[in-house]
Amino acid sequence: MTNSPETGLLVVPRIKVQNANCISSPMTWGFPAITAFTGLMTALERKTHGHTGLQFLSVGVICHHFEAQVTQGGYTRAFRLTRNPVDKNGSTAAIVEEGRAHLEITLVFGVAGQGMAADPQQYAQMAQYCADTLATMRIAGGSVLAAKPGTRAFYQKPQLVSLGDSTEARHKIFRTLSRQWLPGFALVCRDDLLQARLEELQQTNPAASRLDAWLDLSSLQIKPLQQQGTDKAQWQARRPPGWLVPIPVGFGALSDPYAPGQVANARDPRVPFRFVESLYSIGQWLSPHRLEGHQQLLWYPVTLPEEGLYRCLNEFTVETSHI
């Protein structure tokens, strides 16, 4: 636990986000991908490092409220779409299918750098500066709304806290902070469940793949069970333990890198370009008080260009948790 690179935690509580993107990959929809928050972390560091001296290393997210913008009623739901204003020629713009959701989240950034050597009395000013900067940015494509007076978000202030040097101190600080994030659910990675399910499937089907295991954990399966002594069957749903969700966790390369400017219409012609596809895993929503340390909450962006791997890692392990 003491080997983590963070020396402090920056907590920005109860952020209300309007119309965040909830279609993060070709195969999933729902809460925004964790890559949206690691990208936000990088952008926030670029905007605040000159003023605070903080280096942003990792990010964790706790969701307090999620409201997908979908139609209500009936078994099948559809996204509420908008027709954009007419274009410059006066023609009607086409409707592009977009998934949106309103969120209330708490963001926890693992930080280090010379800013943590400042006087602790300056921590409050640095935290407020980062929160004010964050309020001017997009989060997963959504807009940050100001907290209304009388709500919990209005009274909770951003915090920058030092983690201390000992394991006991870090554990005590995290337990104190995690109680402030209730009620809410933290997203952690469960690569171990995906591997375990794959091994179970291969016992009956040696050709089973990780995709089979991922789809099996992501689906709700209802199967008939023969009632003993009768010829009747009872339909029962098989539910994996815990609140599991399929999530995108990064990107895998489809091509070699191209030189800056070589690919037309790239988002930034000043940096190399590479075609990629989404990588998937299984995530789990857990109450923050069930986590034992900040490493179990935080996600770390890892880039291995030689292997074509750009993904986010989370150090949650079931052996050290109380679930």
Side-chain angles (χ1 to χ4, degrees), residues 1 60-62 171 174-175 178-179 181 185-189 284-298 314 316-317 320-323:
M1 290 290 183
V61 56
I62 298 101
H171 180 72
F174 182 79
R175 285 185 62 85
S178 63
R179 267 51 178 182
W181 304 331
F185 291 90
L187 182 64
V188 300
C189 189
Q284 184 173 10
W285 290 104
L286 287 173
S287 182
H289 78 282
R290 296 184 179 276
L291 303 178
E292 290 298 304
H294 62 278
Q295 294 97 333
Q296 293 190 342
L297 169 67
L298 299 178
N314 170 251
F316 176 83
T317 54
T320 58
S321 67
H322 287 171
I323 62 173

PDB file of all heavy atoms in Angstrom, residues 1 60-62 171 174-175 178-179 181 185-189 284-298 314 316-317 320-323:
ATOM      1  N   MET A   1       0.811  -1.201   0.000  1.00  0.00           N
ATOM      2  CA  MET A   1       0.000   0.000   0.000  1.00  0.00           C
ATOM      3  C   MET A   1       0.847   1.254   0.000  1.00  0.00           C
ATOM      4  O   MET A   1       0.504   2.257  -0.580  1.00  0.00           O
ATOM      5  CB  MET A   1      -0.942   0.003   1.208  1.00  0.00           C
ATOM      6  CG  MET A   1      -2.034  -1.033   1.108  1.00  0.00           C
ATOM      7  SD  MET A   1      -3.232  -0.601  -0.166  1.00  0.00           S
ATOM      8  CE  MET A   1      -4.409  -1.914   0.019  1.00  0.00           C
ATOM      9  N   GLY A  60     -10.335   8.331  -9.450  1.00  0.00           N
ATOM     10  CA  GLY A  60     -11.420   7.441  -9.049  1.00  0.00           C
ATOM     11  C   GLY A  60     -12.734   8.190  -9.141  1.00  0.00           C
ATOM     12  O   GLY A  60     -12.770   9.419  -9.033  1.00  0.00           O
ATOM     13  N   VAL A  61     -13.817   7.443  -9.346  1.00  0.00           N
ATOM     14  CA  VAL A  61     -15.112   8.098  -9.514  1.00  0.00           C
ATOM     15  C   VAL A  61     -16.147   7.388  -8.647  1.00  0.00           C
ATOM     16  O   VAL A  61     -16.201   6.156  -8.607  1.00  0.00           O
ATOM     17  CB  VAL A  61     -15.531   8.120 -10.999  1.00  0.00           C
ATOM     18  CG1 VAL A  61     -15.557   6.730 -11.594  1.00  0.00           C
ATOM     19  CG2 VAL A  61     -16.870   8.791 -11.183  1.00  0.00           C
ATOM     20  N   ILE A  62     -16.945   8.183  -7.954  1.00  0.00           N
ATOM     21  CA  ILE A  62     -18.074   7.681  -7.171  1.00  0.00           C
ATOM     22  C   ILE A  62     -19.335   8.305  -7.739  1.00  0.00           C
ATOM     23  O   ILE A  62     -19.422   9.531  -7.859  1.00  0.00           O
ATOM     24  CB  ILE A  62     -17.947   8.032  -5.675  1.00  0.00           C
ATOM     25  CG1 ILE A  62     -16.687   7.381  -5.083  1.00  0.00           C
ATOM     26  CG2 ILE A  62     -19.177   7.579  -4.900  1.00  0.00           C
ATOM     27  CD1 ILE A  62     -15.537   8.329  -4.928  1.00  0.00           C
ATOM     28  N   HIS A 171      -4.577   4.502   5.648  1.00  0.00           N
ATOM     29  CA  HIS A 171      -5.821   3.760   5.843  1.00  0.00           C
ATOM     30  C   HIS A 171      -6.833   4.606   6.620  1.00  0.00           C
ATOM     31  O   HIS A 171      -8.025   4.643   6.269  1.00  0.00           O
ATOM     32  CB  HIS A 171      -5.514   2.472   6.603  1.00  0.00           C
ATOM     33  CG  HIS A 171      -6.716   1.632   6.862  1.00  0.00           C
ATOM     34  ND1 HIS A 171      -7.364   0.923   5.870  1.00  0.00           N
ATOM     35  CD2 HIS A 171      -7.406   1.397   8.008  1.00  0.00           C
ATOM     36  CE1 HIS A 171      -8.397   0.286   6.399  1.00  0.00           C
ATOM     37  NE2 HIS A 171      -8.442   0.548   7.697  1.00  0.00           N
ATOM     38  N   PHE A 174      -8.209   7.455   4.370  1.00  0.00           N
ATOM     39  CA  PHE A 174      -9.152   6.984   3.349  1.00  0.00           C
ATOM     40  C   PHE A 174     -10.485   6.593   3.968  1.00  0.00           C
ATOM     41  O   PHE A 174     -11.543   6.867   3.386  1.00  0.00           O
ATOM     42  CB  PHE A 174      -8.555   5.792   2.592  1.00  0.00           C
ATOM     43  CG  PHE A 174      -9.451   5.293   1.497  1.00  0.00           C
ATOM     44  CD1 PHE A 174      -9.509   5.959   0.281  1.00  0.00           C
ATOM     45  CD2 PHE A 174     -10.260   4.177   1.684  1.00  0.00           C
ATOM     46  CE1 PHE A 174     -10.341   5.517  -0.736  1.00  0.00           C
ATOM     47  CE2 PHE A 174     -11.103   3.738   0.676  1.00  0.00           C
ATOM     48  CZ  PHE A 174     -11.134   4.407  -0.535  1.00  0.00           C
ATOM     49  N   ARG A 175     -10.463   5.954   5.125  1.00  0.00           N
ATOM     50  CA  ARG A 175     -11.723   5.567   5.765  1.00  0.00           C
ATOM     51  C   ARG A 175     -12.541   6.804   6.121  1.00  0.00           C
ATOM     52  O   ARG A 175     -13.762   6.812   5.977  1.00  0.00           O
ATOM     53  CB  ARG A 175     -11.450   4.731   7.013  1.00  0.00           C
ATOM     54  CG  ARG A 175     -11.013   3.315   6.707  1.00  0.00           C
ATOM     55  CD  ARG A 175     -10.880   2.502   7.989  1.00  0.00           C
ATOM     56  NE  ARG A 175     -12.148   2.399   8.689  1.00  0.00           N
ATOM     57  CZ  ARG A 175     -13.060   1.482   8.400  1.00  0.00           C
ATOM     58  NH1 ARG A 175     -12.851   0.628   7.435  1.00  0.00           N
ATOM     59  NH2 ARG A 175     -14.168   1.427   9.088  1.00  0.00           N
ATOM     60  N   SER A 178     -13.940   8.140   2.776  1.00  0.00           N
ATOM     61  CA  SER A 178     -14.923   7.278   2.115  1.00  0.00           C
ATOM     62  C   SER A 178     -16.303   7.405   2.758  1.00  0.00           C
ATOM     63  O   SER A 178     -17.321   7.236   2.079  1.00  0.00           O
ATOM     64  CB  SER A 178     -14.458   5.821   2.157  1.00  0.00           C
ATOM     65  OG  SER A 178     -14.367   5.358   3.492  1.00  0.00           O
ATOM     66  N   ARG A 179     -16.353   7.719   4.048  1.00  0.00           N
ATOM     67  CA  ARG A 179     -17.667   7.924   4.706  1.00  0.00           C
ATOM     68  C   ARG A 179     -18.353   9.173   4.179  1.00  0.00           C
ATOM     69  O   ARG A 179     -19.586   9.275   4.215  1.00  0.00           O
ATOM     70  CB  ARG A 179     -17.495   8.038   6.211  1.00  0.00           C
ATOM     71  CG  ARG A 179     -17.648   6.730   6.990  1.00  0.00           C
ATOM     72  CD  ARG A 179     -16.833   5.627   6.464  1.00  0.00           C
ATOM     73  NE  ARG A 179     -16.956   4.397   7.256  1.00  0.00           N
ATOM     74  CZ  ARG A 179     -16.292   3.290   6.990  1.00  0.00           C
ATOM     75  NH1 ARG A 179     -15.462   3.253   5.954  1.00  0.00           N
ATOM     76  NH2 ARG A 179     -16.452   2.203   7.726  1.00  0.00           N
ATOM     77  N   TRP A 181     -18.447  10.018   1.145  1.00  0.00           N
ATOM     78  CA  TRP A 181     -18.928   9.777  -0.222  1.00  0.00           C
ATOM     79  C   TRP A 181     -20.196   8.934  -0.252  1.00  0.00           C
ATOM     80  O   TRP A 181     -20.632   8.503  -1.311  1.00  0.00           O
ATOM     81  CB  TRP A 181     -17.831   9.080  -1.037  1.00  0.00           C
ATOM     82  CG  TRP A 181     -16.546   9.842  -1.066  1.00  0.00           C
ATOM     83  CD1 TRP A 181     -16.396  11.198  -0.974  1.00  0.00           C
ATOM     84  CD2 TRP A 181     -15.219   9.305  -1.158  1.00  0.00           C
ATOM     85  NE1 TRP A 181     -15.067  11.545  -1.012  1.00  0.00           N
ATOM     86  CE2 TRP A 181     -14.322  10.400  -1.124  1.00  0.00           C
ATOM     87  CE3 TRP A 181     -14.704   8.040  -1.273  1.00  0.00           C
ATOM     88  CZ2 TRP A 181     -12.938  10.246  -1.200  1.00  0.00           C
ATOM     89  CZ3 TRP A 181     -13.333   7.858  -1.353  1.00  0.00           C
ATOM     90  CH2 TRP A 181     -12.464   8.953  -1.313  1.00  0.00           C
ATOM     91  N   PHE A 185     -21.687   4.881  -5.155  1.00  0.00           N
ATOM     92  CA  PHE A 185     -21.065   3.628  -5.579  1.00  0.00           C
ATOM     93  C   PHE A 185     -19.806   3.944  -6.376  1.00  0.00           C
ATOM     94  O   PHE A 185     -19.820   4.814  -7.248  1.00  0.00           O
ATOM     95  CB  PHE A 185     -22.029   2.794  -6.429  1.00  0.00           C
ATOM     96  CG  PHE A 185     -23.188   2.240  -5.641  1.00  0.00           C
ATOM     97  CD1 PHE A 185     -24.366   2.970  -5.528  1.00  0.00           C
ATOM     98  CD2 PHE A 185     -23.087   1.018  -4.993  1.00  0.00           C
ATOM     99  CE1 PHE A 185     -25.433   2.476  -4.790  1.00  0.00           C
ATOM    100  CE2 PHE A 185     -24.143   0.520  -4.259  1.00  0.00           C
ATOM    101  CZ  PHE A 185     -25.315   1.248  -4.147  1.00  0.00           C
ATOM    102  N   ALA A 186     -18.733   3.237  -6.048  1.00  0.00           N
ATOM    103  CA  ALA A 186     -17.449   3.410  -6.729  1.00  0.00           C
ATOM    104  C   ALA A 186     -17.275   2.305  -7.760  1.00  0.00           C
ATOM    105  O   ALA A 186     -17.646   1.156  -7.532  1.00  0.00           O
ATOM    106  CB  ALA A 186     -16.313   3.361  -5.708  1.00  0.00           C
ATOM    107  N   LEU A 187     -16.686   2.669  -8.892  1.00  0.00           N
ATOM    108  CA  LEU A 187     -16.452   1.702  -9.969  1.00  0.00           C
ATOM    109  C   LEU A 187     -15.051   1.116  -9.830  1.00  0.00           C
ATOM    110  O   LEU A 187     -14.067   1.854  -9.783  1.00  0.00           O
ATOM    111  CB  LEU A 187     -16.598   2.384 -11.330  1.00  0.00           C
ATOM    112  CG  LEU A 187     -16.429   1.476 -12.549  1.00  0.00           C
ATOM    113  CD1 LEU A 187     -17.524   0.423 -12.584  1.00  0.00           C
ATOM    114  CD2 LEU A 187     -16.424   2.291 -13.838  1.00  0.00           C
ATOM    115  N   VAL A 188     -14.991  -0.221  -9.753  1.00  0.00           N
ATOM    116  CA  VAL A 188     -13.704  -0.923  -9.682  1.00  0.00           C
ATOM    117  C   VAL A 188     -13.652  -1.963 -10.789  1.00  0.00           C
ATOM    118  O   VAL A 188     -14.680  -2.329 -11.372  1.00  0.00           O
ATOM    119  CB  VAL A 188     -13.488  -1.596  -8.310  1.00  0.00           C
ATOM    120  CG1 VAL A 188     -13.501  -0.562  -7.207  1.00  0.00           C
ATOM    121  CG2 VAL A 188     -14.543  -2.667  -8.063  1.00  0.00           C
ATOM    122  N   CYS A 189     -12.456  -2.436 -11.086  1.00  0.00           N
ATOM    123  CA  CYS A 189     -12.254  -3.391 -12.176  1.00  0.00           C
ATOM    124  C   CYS A 189     -12.253  -4.821 -11.630  1.00  0.00           C
ATOM    125  O   CYS A 189     -11.669  -5.081 -10.574  1.00  0.00           O
ATOM    126  CB  CYS A 189     -10.929  -3.092 -12.886  1.00  0.00           C
ATOM    127  SG  CYS A 189     -10.691  -4.032 -14.409  1.00  0.00           S
ATOM    128  N   GLN A 284     -17.340  -3.470 -11.429  1.00  0.00           N
ATOM    129  CA  GLN A 284     -18.285  -3.692 -10.346  1.00  0.00           C
ATOM    130  C   GLN A 284     -18.487  -2.399  -9.578  1.00  0.00           C
ATOM    131  O   GLN A 284     -17.523  -1.677  -9.278  1.00  0.00           O
ATOM    132  CB  GLN A 284     -17.780  -4.784  -9.394  1.00  0.00           C
ATOM    133  CG  GLN A 284     -18.786  -5.121  -8.284  1.00  0.00           C
ATOM    134  CD  GLN A 284     -18.363  -6.312  -7.439  1.00  0.00           C
ATOM    135  OE1 GLN A 284     -17.244  -6.797  -7.548  1.00  0.00           O
ATOM    136  NE2 GLN A 284     -19.258  -6.789  -6.599  1.00  0.00           N
ATOM    137  N   TRP A 285     -19.743  -2.127  -9.266  1.00  0.00           N
ATOM    138  CA  TRP A 285     -20.078  -0.964  -8.437  1.00  0.00           C
ATOM    139  C   TRP A 285     -20.105  -1.393  -6.971  1.00  0.00           C
ATOM    140  O   TRP A 285     -20.808  -2.336  -6.608  1.00  0.00           O
ATOM    141  CB  TRP A 285     -21.442  -0.397  -8.843  1.00  0.00           C
ATOM    142  CG  TRP A 285     -21.451   0.264 -10.186  1.00  0.00           C
ATOM    143  CD1 TRP A 285     -21.962  -0.231 -11.349  1.00  0.00           C
ATOM    144  CD2 TRP A 285     -20.930   1.553 -10.497  1.00  0.00           C
ATOM    145  NE1 TRP A 285     -21.780   0.663 -12.364  1.00  0.00           N
ATOM    146  CE2 TRP A 285     -21.156   1.778 -11.884  1.00  0.00           C
ATOM    147  CE3 TRP A 285     -20.288   2.553  -9.770  1.00  0.00           C
ATOM    148  CZ2 TRP A 285     -20.764   2.949 -12.525  1.00  0.00           C
ATOM    149  CZ3 TRP A 285     -19.897   3.721 -10.409  1.00  0.00           C
ATOM    150  CH2 TRP A 285     -20.136   3.911 -11.766  1.00  0.00           C
ATOM    151  N   LEU A 286     -19.337  -0.708  -6.154  1.00  0.00           N
ATOM    152  CA  LEU A 286     -19.239  -1.019  -4.733  1.00  0.00           C
ATOM    153  C   LEU A 286     -19.427   0.248  -3.904  1.00  0.00           C
ATOM    154  O   LEU A 286     -19.023   1.338  -4.324  1.00  0.00           O
ATOM    155  CB  LEU A 286     -17.866  -1.612  -4.405  1.00  0.00           C
ATOM    156  CG  LEU A 286     -17.575  -3.048  -4.847  1.00  0.00           C
ATOM    157  CD1 LEU A 286     -16.118  -3.360  -4.568  1.00  0.00           C
ATOM    158  CD2 LEU A 286     -18.475  -4.016  -4.111  1.00  0.00           C
ATOM    159  N   SER A 287     -20.016   0.067  -2.744  1.00  0.00           N
ATOM    160  CA  SER A 287     -20.089   1.195  -1.812  1.00  0.00           C
ATOM    161  C   SER A 287     -18.663   1.565  -1.364  1.00  0.00           C
ATOM    162  O   SER A 287     -17.860   0.669  -1.065  1.00  0.00           O
ATOM    163  CB  SER A 287     -20.935   0.822  -0.603  1.00  0.00           C
ATOM    164  OG  SER A 287     -21.042   1.917   0.274  1.00  0.00           O
ATOM    165  N   PRO A 288     -18.316   2.842  -1.314  1.00  0.00           N
ATOM    166  CA  PRO A 288     -16.935   3.221  -0.993  1.00  0.00           C
ATOM    167  C   PRO A 288     -16.442   2.709   0.354  1.00  0.00           C
ATOM    168  O   PRO A 288     -15.248   2.464   0.515  1.00  0.00           O
ATOM    169  CB  PRO A 288     -16.987   4.757  -1.009  1.00  0.00           C
ATOM    170  CG  PRO A 288     -18.157   5.110  -1.847  1.00  0.00           C
ATOM    171  CD  PRO A 288     -19.148   4.004  -1.630  1.00  0.00           C
ATOM    172  N   HIS A 289     -17.359   2.509   1.319  1.00  0.00           N
ATOM    173  CA  HIS A 289     -16.896   2.071   2.637  1.00  0.00           C
ATOM    174  C   HIS A 289     -16.420   0.628   2.623  1.00  0.00           C
ATOM    175  O   HIS A 289     -15.836   0.155   3.601  1.00  0.00           O
ATOM    176  CB  HIS A 289     -18.006   2.270   3.677  1.00  0.00           C
ATOM    177  CG  HIS A 289     -19.074   1.222   3.638  1.00  0.00           C
ATOM    178  ND1 HIS A 289     -20.084   1.216   2.689  1.00  0.00           N
ATOM    179  CD2 HIS A 289     -19.292   0.149   4.419  1.00  0.00           C
ATOM    180  CE1 HIS A 289     -20.871   0.189   2.911  1.00  0.00           C
ATOM    181  NE2 HIS A 289     -20.420  -0.477   3.953  1.00  0.00           N
ATOM    182  N   ARG A 290     -16.652  -0.109   1.521  1.00  0.00           N
ATOM    183  CA  ARG A 290     -16.165  -1.481   1.405  1.00  0.00           C
ATOM    184  C   ARG A 290     -14.736  -1.542   0.866  1.00  0.00           C
ATOM    185  O   ARG A 290     -14.142  -2.622   0.824  1.00  0.00           O
ATOM    186  CB  ARG A 290     -17.085  -2.295   0.502  1.00  0.00           C
ATOM    187  CG  ARG A 290     -18.489  -2.461   1.061  1.00  0.00           C
ATOM    188  CD  ARG A 290     -19.323  -3.367   0.177  1.00  0.00           C
ATOM    189  NE  ARG A 290     -20.661  -3.552   0.717  1.00  0.00           N
ATOM    190  CZ  ARG A 290     -20.994  -4.446   1.642  1.00  0.00           C
ATOM    191  NH1 ARG A 290     -20.064  -5.245   2.127  1.00  0.00           N
ATOM    192  NH2 ARG A 290     -22.222  -4.549   2.074  1.00  0.00           N
ATOM    193  N   LEU A 291     -14.185  -0.421   0.455  1.00  0.00           N
ATOM    194  CA  LEU A 291     -12.818  -0.404  -0.061  1.00  0.00           C
ATOM    195  C   LEU A 291     -11.842  -0.201   1.090  1.00  0.00           C
ATOM    196  O   LEU A 291     -12.120   0.536   2.043  1.00  0.00           O
ATOM    197  CB  LEU A 291     -12.656   0.715  -1.098  1.00  0.00           C
ATOM    198  CG  LEU A 291     -13.625   0.652  -2.286  1.00  0.00           C
ATOM    199  CD1 LEU A 291     -13.389   1.830  -3.214  1.00  0.00           C
ATOM    200  CD2 LEU A 291     -13.486  -0.666  -3.033  1.00  0.00           C
ATOM    201  N   GLU A 292     -10.685  -0.821   0.986  1.00  0.00           N
ATOM    202  CA  GLU A 292      -9.700  -0.785   2.062  1.00  0.00           C
ATOM    203  C   GLU A 292      -8.655   0.304   1.886  1.00  0.00           C
ATOM    204  O   GLU A 292      -7.941   0.631   2.830  1.00  0.00           O
ATOM    205  CB  GLU A 292      -9.004  -2.133   2.158  1.00  0.00           C
ATOM    206  CG  GLU A 292      -9.901  -3.249   2.671  1.00  0.00           C
ATOM    207  CD  GLU A 292     -10.397  -2.960   4.080  1.00  0.00           C
ATOM    208  OE1 GLU A 292      -9.557  -2.740   4.974  1.00  0.00           O
ATOM    209  OE2 GLU A 292     -11.618  -2.928   4.281  1.00  0.00           O
ATOM    210  N   GLY A 293      -8.508   0.835   0.696  1.00  0.00           N
ATOM    211  CA  GLY A 293      -7.497   1.858   0.469  1.00  0.00           C
ATOM    212  C   GLY A 293      -7.751   2.603  -0.824  1.00  0.00           C
ATOM    213  O   GLY A 293      -8.579   2.187  -1.644  1.00  0.00           O
ATOM    214  N   HIS A 294      -7.018   3.708  -0.985  1.00  0.00           N
ATOM    215  CA  HIS A 294      -7.264   4.532  -2.170  1.00  0.00           C
ATOM    216  C   HIS A 294      -6.837   3.830  -3.450  1.00  0.00           C
ATOM    217  O   HIS A 294      -7.381   4.102  -4.520  1.00  0.00           O
ATOM    218  CB  HIS A 294      -6.532   5.862  -2.032  1.00  0.00           C
ATOM    219  CG  HIS A 294      -5.046   5.740  -1.939  1.00  0.00           C
ATOM    220  ND1 HIS A 294      -4.384   5.437  -0.778  1.00  0.00           N
ATOM    221  CD2 HIS A 294      -4.080   5.857  -2.877  1.00  0.00           C
ATOM    222  CE1 HIS A 294      -3.082   5.401  -0.996  1.00  0.00           C
ATOM    223  NE2 HIS A 294      -2.871   5.635  -2.262  1.00  0.00           N
ATOM    224  N   GLN A 295      -5.874   2.863  -3.368  1.00  0.00           N
ATOM    225  CA  GLN A 295      -5.467   2.163  -4.595  1.00  0.00           C
ATOM    226  C   GLN A 295      -6.601   1.342  -5.177  1.00  0.00           C
ATOM    227  O   GLN A 295      -6.664   1.127  -6.391  1.00  0.00           O
ATOM    228  CB  GLN A 295      -4.275   1.250  -4.323  1.00  0.00           C
ATOM    229  CG  GLN A 295      -3.005   1.995  -3.954  1.00  0.00           C
ATOM    230  CD  GLN A 295      -2.829   2.046  -2.459  1.00  0.00           C
ATOM    231  OE1 GLN A 295      -3.812   1.998  -1.714  1.00  0.00           O
ATOM    232  NE2 GLN A 295      -1.609   2.146  -2.015  1.00  0.00           N
ATOM    233  N   GLN A 296      -7.509   0.857  -4.312  1.00  0.00           N
ATOM    234  CA  GLN A 296      -8.638   0.076  -4.820  1.00  0.00           C
ATOM    235  C   GLN A 296      -9.650   0.939  -5.548  1.00  0.00           C
ATOM    236  O   GLN A 296     -10.430   0.444  -6.348  1.00  0.00           O
ATOM    237  CB  GLN A 296      -9.318  -0.644  -3.659  1.00  0.00           C
ATOM    238  CG  GLN A 296      -8.458  -1.725  -3.030  1.00  0.00           C
ATOM    239  CD  GLN A 296      -9.239  -2.584  -2.058  1.00  0.00           C
ATOM    240  OE1 GLN A 296     -10.312  -2.202  -1.598  1.00  0.00           O
ATOM    241  NE2 GLN A 296      -8.701  -3.743  -1.747  1.00  0.00           N
ATOM    242  N   LEU A 297      -9.643   2.221  -5.256  1.00  0.00           N
ATOM    243  CA  LEU A 297     -10.590   3.141  -5.899  1.00  0.00           C
ATOM    244  C   LEU A 297     -10.019   3.733  -7.186  1.00  0.00           C
ATOM    245  O   LEU A 297     -10.751   3.908  -8.162  1.00  0.00           O
ATOM    246  CB  LEU A 297     -10.941   4.270  -4.927  1.00  0.00           C
ATOM    247  CG  LEU A 297     -11.709   5.454  -5.495  1.00  0.00           C
ATOM    248  CD1 LEU A 297     -13.119   5.021  -5.905  1.00  0.00           C
ATOM    249  CD2 LEU A 297     -11.773   6.596  -4.491  1.00  0.00           C
ATOM    250  N   LEU A 298      -8.721   4.009  -7.200  1.00  0.00           N
ATOM    251  CA  LEU A 298      -8.137   4.802  -8.288  1.00  0.00           C
ATOM    252  C   LEU A 298      -7.854   3.961  -9.519  1.00  0.00           C
ATOM    253  O   LEU A 298      -7.506   2.781  -9.428  1.00  0.00           O
ATOM    254  CB  LEU A 298      -6.846   5.460  -7.794  1.00  0.00           C
ATOM    255  CG  LEU A 298      -7.011   6.429  -6.621  1.00  0.00           C
ATOM    256  CD1 LEU A 298      -5.656   6.968  -6.190  1.00  0.00           C
ATOM    257  CD2 LEU A 298      -7.941   7.573  -6.996  1.00  0.00           C
ATOM    258  N   ASN A 314      -6.937  -0.829 -12.531  1.00  0.00           N
ATOM    259  CA  ASN A 314      -7.413  -0.573 -11.178  1.00  0.00           C
ATOM    260  C   ASN A 314      -6.918  -1.705 -10.299  1.00  0.00           C
ATOM    261  O   ASN A 314      -6.959  -2.869 -10.694  1.00  0.00           O
ATOM    262  CB  ASN A 314      -8.943  -0.491 -11.167  1.00  0.00           C
ATOM    263  CG  ASN A 314      -9.514  -0.455  -9.765  1.00  0.00           C
ATOM    264  OD1 ASN A 314     -10.112  -1.426  -9.317  1.00  0.00           O
ATOM    265  ND2 ASN A 314      -9.345   0.648  -9.083  1.00  0.00           N
ATOM    266  N   PHE A 316      -8.011  -3.022  -7.526  1.00  0.00           N
ATOM    267  CA  PHE A 316      -8.934  -3.678  -6.596  1.00  0.00           C
ATOM    268  C   PHE A 316      -8.688  -5.181  -6.612  1.00  0.00           C
ATOM    269  O   PHE A 316      -8.584  -5.803  -7.666  1.00  0.00           O
ATOM    270  CB  PHE A 316     -10.379  -3.402  -6.989  1.00  0.00           C
ATOM    271  CG  PHE A 316     -11.376  -4.114  -6.129  1.00  0.00           C
ATOM    272  CD1 PHE A 316     -11.746  -3.584  -4.914  1.00  0.00           C
ATOM    273  CD2 PHE A 316     -11.921  -5.324  -6.521  1.00  0.00           C
ATOM    274  CE1 PHE A 316     -12.649  -4.235  -4.104  1.00  0.00           C
ATOM    275  CE2 PHE A 316     -12.831  -5.991  -5.720  1.00  0.00           C
ATOM    276  CZ  PHE A 316     -13.190  -5.439  -4.508  1.00  0.00           C
ATOM    277  N   THR A 317      -8.582  -5.767  -5.461  1.00  0.00           N
ATOM    278  CA  THR A 317      -8.455  -7.212  -5.327  1.00  0.00           C
ATOM    279  C   THR A 317      -9.432  -7.682  -4.269  1.00  0.00           C
ATOM    280  O   THR A 317      -9.565  -7.060  -3.206  1.00  0.00           O
ATOM    281  CB  THR A 317      -7.033  -7.632  -4.918  1.00  0.00           C
ATOM    282  OG1 THR A 317      -6.661  -6.920  -3.734  1.00  0.00           O
ATOM    283  CG2 THR A 317      -6.038  -7.337  -6.023  1.00  0.00           C
ATOM    284  N   THR A 320      -8.372  -8.425  -0.456  1.00  0.00           N
ATOM    285  CA  THR A 320      -8.155  -7.397   0.549  1.00  0.00           C
ATOM    286  C   THR A 320      -9.394  -6.567   0.822  1.00  0.00           C
ATOM    287  O   THR A 320      -9.340  -5.578   1.521  1.00  0.00           O
ATOM    288  CB  THR A 320      -7.033  -6.462   0.102  1.00  0.00           C
ATOM    289  OG1 THR A 320      -7.368  -5.885  -1.166  1.00  0.00           O
ATOM    290  CG2 THR A 320      -5.717  -7.216  -0.021  1.00  0.00           C
ATOM    291  N   SER A 321     -10.517  -6.969   0.254  1.00  0.00           N
ATOM    292  CA  SER A 321     -11.729  -6.190   0.476  1.00  0.00           C
ATOM    293  C   SER A 321     -12.669  -6.940   1.411  1.00  0.00           C
ATOM    294  O   SER A 321     -12.446  -8.089   1.761  1.00  0.00           O
ATOM    295  CB  SER A 321     -12.433  -5.932  -0.858  1.00  0.00           C
ATOM    296  OG  SER A 321     -12.923  -7.153  -1.380  1.00  0.00           O
ATOM    297  N   HIS A 322     -13.734  -6.280   1.792  1.00  0.00           N
ATOM    298  CA  HIS A 322     -14.721  -6.865   2.696  1.00  0.00           C
ATOM    299  C   HIS A 322     -16.052  -7.076   1.997  1.00  0.00           C
ATOM    300  O   HIS A 322     -17.097  -6.883   2.586  1.00  0.00           O
ATOM    301  CB  HIS A 322     -14.909  -5.950   3.916  1.00  0.00           C
ATOM    302  CG  HIS A 322     -13.749  -5.992   4.838  1.00  0.00           C
ATOM    303  ND1 HIS A 322     -13.596  -5.134   5.887  1.00  0.00           N
ATOM    304  CD2 HIS A 322     -12.652  -6.779   4.837  1.00  0.00           C
ATOM    305  CE1 HIS A 322     -12.452  -5.389   6.533  1.00  0.00           C
ATOM    306  NE2 HIS A 322     -11.875  -6.382   5.899  1.00  0.00           N
ATOM    307  N   ILE A 323     -16.015  -7.456   0.715  1.00  0.00           N
ATOM    308  CA  ILE A 323     -17.279  -7.703   0.033  1.00  0.00           C
ATOM    309  C   ILE A 323     -17.660  -9.162   0.189  1.00  0.00           C
ATOM    310  O   ILE A 323     -16.822  -9.996   0.524  1.00  0.00           O
ATOM    311  CB  ILE A 323     -17.191  -7.353  -1.455  1.00  0.00           C
ATOM    312  CG1 ILE A 323     -16.131  -8.232  -2.161  1.00  0.00           C
ATOM    313  CG2 ILE A 323     -16.850  -5.899  -1.622  1.00  0.00           C
ATOM    314  CD1 ILE A 323     -16.124  -8.045  -3.638  1.00  0.00           C
TER     315      ILE A 323
END
